[in-house]
Amino acid sequence: MDMRRYLPALGLAILMVTACSSSQSLAPGTRSVVSAPVRVAHTRLGAVGYRVIGSGPPLVLVMGYGWTMEGWDPRLVHALALHHRVVMFDNSGVGRTQELPQPFSVDAMADQTSALITALGLGRPDVLGWSMGGTIAQALAVLHPAQVRRLVLCATYPGSGQAVIPPVADRQAASDFPANQASALNAFKAAIAEYPPAPAASSGTKGIQGLAMSDWQTGSDAAGRQTARISAPTLIADGTSDQLDPVANDRTLARIIPGATLVLYPDAGHAFLFQDWTRFAALVNSFLAGNPRP
């Protein structure tokens, strides 16, 4: 995730898992992911572009800063869609999704996500958010708790106003994948290249997303200051080599959210969920199935 525009007594279980490089070609079945049509939901907060893959209990994927939904690794999406009706969508101002009015915030993006859930009749879905998407997922769980059954937060940030640890590398040089995981990075690039071409988020949209993230990290969003109220079972995960979101932030978030489980992937970066998509998909599917310990 290109984060260069960013400014810098509760249950906690910490698990360490072994990371592996994913150098495989596209997994069988991913064609159904990349060929799924882009649809438009007309919500109370404007049009939202989305795709749906699979069947079963609904699972909403919330994308991060500056990315379109074509950034979701189709191998990971397919593995999740074997057990869930997966909904992925574009955030405000990206693709076919209407831009929200000012003042723009993470809380406002959570409201738009809520409006999509209502428009699609998803009821109380599971929600997985990556990076900025993880902050939106937190805000959704605070502001619209009846719409979140279980919560998965990937490489994301607390919004309580507590000190957020800045990136450990220069933002211009930071990478989603560790330097020794070039094969995993190349496999990820090849996987997302299978989607039909989609227009990138504009520089203006990236700019206001970056400002919204800065506000979240400094505690400006009401939901960010109330994450201790999250009642949904929560899984937090990240790579120990994340250059953009040091794991200290994940530990802080896991202390704030009651009963949260924190899983760390050694030798993995901000895009750990794509670097080790097979194990992460198994972890998520197990957690969403209600297993007490992933």
Side-chain angles (χ1 to χ4, degrees):
M1 180 87 40
D2 179 0
M3 301 281 285
R4 66 192 67 179
R5 296 295 296 269
Y6 285 9
L7 302 175
L10 303 173
L12 171 61
I14 302 179
L15 308 178
M16 299 294 289
V17 296
T18 303
C20 65
S21 298
S22 296
S23 58
Q24 307 99 313
S25 59
L26 282 181
T30 53
R31 183 60 52 194
S32 64
V33 177
V34 299
S35 63
V38 177
R39 305 174 182 178
V40 177
H42 298 283
T43 81
R44 63 181 179 83
L45 291 177
V48 177
Y50 71 99
R51 284 187 174 92
V52 178
I53 304 95
S55 60
L59 170 60
V60 176
L61 306 184
V62 191
M63 184 43 92
Y65 164 79
W67 286 69
T68 70
M69 60 179 148
E70 289 77 17
W72 288 111
D73 191 318
R75 301 168 299 176
L76 172 63
V77 175
H78 171 64
L80 296 175
L82 291 175
H83 304 276
H84 303 89
R85 179 188 178 195
V86 178
V87 178
M88 51 186 184
F89 67 100
D90 283 326
N91 287 316
S92 169
V94 179
R96 300 186 189 181
T97 299
Q98 183 172 322
E99 184 169 291
L100 293 166
Q102 299 296 324
F104 187 79
S105 67
V106 168
D107 282 5
M109 286 187 280
D111 286 339
Q112 190 174 54
T113 304
S114 168
L116 174 65
I117 290 171
T118 298
L120 296 183
L122 300 181
R124 194 178 191 188
D126 296 313
V127 178
L128 183 156
W130 176 42
S131 196
M132 184 186 77
T135 68
I136 297 169
Q138 291 173 62
L140 178 69
V142 171
L143 299 174
H144 307 277
Q147 291 184 312
V148 180
R149 191 185 75 96
R150 284 180 172 252
L151 187 62
V152 182
L153 305 175
C154 304
T156 195
Y157 310 82
S160 60
Q162 298 182 23
V164 174
I165 307 301
V168 297
D170 181 86
R171 291 180 179 87
Q172 301 293 330
S175 173
D176 293 340
F177 290 75
N180 65 346
Q181 295 292 339
S183 62
L185 172 59
N186 290 335
F188 169 66
K189 288 180 177 178
I192 62 174
E194 295 292 322
Y195 286 104
S202 69
S203 59
T205 294
K206 290 181 180 179
I208 60 174
Q209 285 186 359
L211 292 174
M213 275 302 302
S214 296
D215 289 343
W216 172 268
Q217 292 172 0
T218 56
S220 297
D221 288 77
R225 299 190 300 271
Q226 300 176 57
T227 46
R229 293 173 45 196
I230 292 177
S231 58
T234 301
L235 170 65
I236 300 169
D238 202 350
T240 59
S241 299
D242 191 338
Q243 297 180 336
L244 295 166
D245 178 28
V247 293
N249 293 328
D250 302 291
R251 295 179 189 275
T252 295
L253 186 58
R255 286 194 297 269
I256 294 172
I257 298 176
T261 296
L262 174 60
V263 178
L264 301 176
Y265 287 68
D267 198 26
H270 199 63
F272 75 92
L273 65 171
F274 308 138
Q275 178 181 327
D276 196 6
W277 64 270
T278 51
R279 296 193 189 200
F280 182 66
L283 172 69
V284 171
N285 285 329
S286 176
F287 173 72
L288 297 183
N291 294 331
R293 184 64 65 87

